[in-house]
Amino acid sequence: MKIAIPYWQGRVSPVFDASDSIVVIDIERGQERRRDNFRLASSEPVLRAQEVAALGAEMVLCGAVSRTLESALIGAGVRVKGFICGDLDALVEAFLAGKLSDACFQMPGANRVQAAAGPRPENRKKTSARPRPKSKRAQHPAKEDEYESGYQR
């Protein structure tokens, strides 16, 4: 299995979308066999997901990740475990030991239930419970000329 981790200064990058450095770790029989560092060329989500998949990564362990990039990765056949933080070496050890769910590897304030459940739901149009205020024109249709010309006749 190959896992990919976007990183910055020896730690998991806080935002995958903004990171251009990624480490791909080859794991066999529960042990790290090889580690290679790469630079990602594209910042466009679909192309970035294709780059990660082309590196052979089966799973990405990352900090915050946009819904667009997460969906693109899943579409490219790469599993995503987001909202992870910490030192890169400690994170790999925790992954190998099955301890990624430890609190020290969870981003502060992240919705852990939603992150563990898999892909987030698509953006929905937000609706307000309050009705929108009417424009001045709609409130006073008889004074239409006043608002169009800017002065009263």
Side-chain angles (χ1 to χ4, degrees), residues 142-153:
K143 296 183 177 181
E144 188 171 328
D145 291 340
E146 176 182 341
Y147 291 106
E148 284 186 16
S149 64
Y151 65 92
Q152 212 169 12
R153 293 181 190 198

Side-chain angles (χ1 to χ4, degrees), residues 1 25-34 92 96:
M1 165 183 232
I25 301 169
D26 193 3
I27 299 171
E28 288 180 21
R29 297 186 196 107
Q31 294 198 353
E32 181 179 336
R33 296 290 177 206
R34 183 180 173 136
V92 173
L96 294 173

Side-chain angles (χ1 to χ4, degrees), residues 11 83-87 90-91 94 99-108 112:
R11 297 184 58 81
F83 304 100
I84 302 291
C85 66
D87 176 76
L91 182 78
K99 296 187 177 191
L100 270 186
S101 60
D102 288 358
C104 64
F105 297 110
Q106 304 300 310
M107 289 186 82
R112 289 171 192 82

Side-chain angles (χ1 to χ4, degrees), residues 6-8 13 15-23 37-43 48 51:
Y7 69 93
W8 182 69
S13 179
V15 182
F16 183 22
D17 301 67
S19 177
D20 63 350
S21 301
I22 195 164
V23 62
N37 296 307
F38 297 95
R39 288 269 191 217
L40 296 173
S42 180
S43 61
R48 179 168 279 223
E51 277 186 85

Side-chain angles (χ1 to χ4, degrees), residues 31-96:
Q31 294 198 353
E32 181 179 336
R33 296 290 177 206
R34 183 180 173 136
R35 185 182 289 209
D36 295 301
N37 296 307
F38 297 95
R39 288 269 191 217
L40 296 173
S42 180
S43 61
E44 196 280 318
V46 173
L47 296 177
R48 179 168 279 223
Q50 290 172 351
E51 277 186 85
V52 173
L55 295 173
E58 298 168 53
M59 176 183 276
V60 170
L61 306 177
C62 60
V65 59
S66 70
R67 290 180 181 175
T68 306
L69 180 54
E70 182 183 36
S71 295
L73 286 162
I74 292 167
V78 180
R79 291 179 288 163
V80 179
K81 174 77 172 140
F83 304 100
I84 302 291
C85 66
D87 176 76
L88 194 58
D89 293 326
L91 182 78
V92 173
E93 287 179 33
F95 177 80
L96 294 173

